Structure formats: structure tokens, C-alpha cells
Amino acid sequence: PYGPENTFLQVQAFLNSKGFPVPAALAQEGKTGHILLQDLGDETLLLSLSKTMSSDVIRRYYEKVMGILIKLH
């Protein structure tokens, strides 16, 4: 059941094609389904935004992100 049809890889490829920063799949083991992913670091979106934006602006961004995620579902 593992391989190119892997749901995680399909979502990763879709988000990547839309310009979202997603970790690259560097390698995959077909029999076990293990995937080696690129490390995007320790900084969360909240931490990154809080360096330059107010909590009200951050909340609006999170609401937009949630709306996009709901539409993707």
C-alpha cells in the first residue's frame, strides 16, 4: 500500500505545486512506507509572525490560514 500513491506524498506534492513551503521528500522506502523529509527548522509560524506583528494581525492571518485549510479539505 506504500509508494507513489502515498496520501502524505500526494498532499505534499499538491501543496508544493500551490507554492506552500512544505518539506521535500528526500527519500522513501516503498515496503515500509518510511519517508525521509527535509527539516524546515524549529521556528513556528506564530514565532515568526510575532517578531514583527501585533497579536490582532496574527489572529487575522491564522483565520485566513484556517479558511484556506478548510477549503482544501
Side-chain angles (χ1 to χ4, degrees), residues 11-13 15-16 20-24 38 40:
V11 171
Q12 183 268 354
L15 292 174
N16 187 54
F20 288 93
V22 293
Q38 173 189 24
L40 294 180

Side-chain angles (χ1 to χ4, degrees), residues 44-72:
T44 63
L45 177 61
L46 178 59
L47 178 61
S48 180
L49 294 177
S50 65
K51 291 177 181 177
T52 60
M53 297 180 185
S54 71
S55 60
D56 289 338
V57 173
I58 292 171
R59 181 178 178 91
R60 286 195 296 273
Y61 273 106
Y62 267 84
E63 288 171 352
K64 286 182 181 183
V65 168
M66 292 305 297
I68 291 169
L69 291 174
I70 288 168
K71 287 178 185 177
L72 288 175

Side-chain angles (χ1 to χ4, degrees), residues 20-42:
F20 288 93
V22 293
L26 303 175
Q28 106 183 53
E29 166 49 51
K31 289 184 179 183
T32 64
H34 292 133
I35 304 169
L36 177 63
L37 297 175
Q38 173 189 24
D39 184 356
L40 294 180
D42 296 331

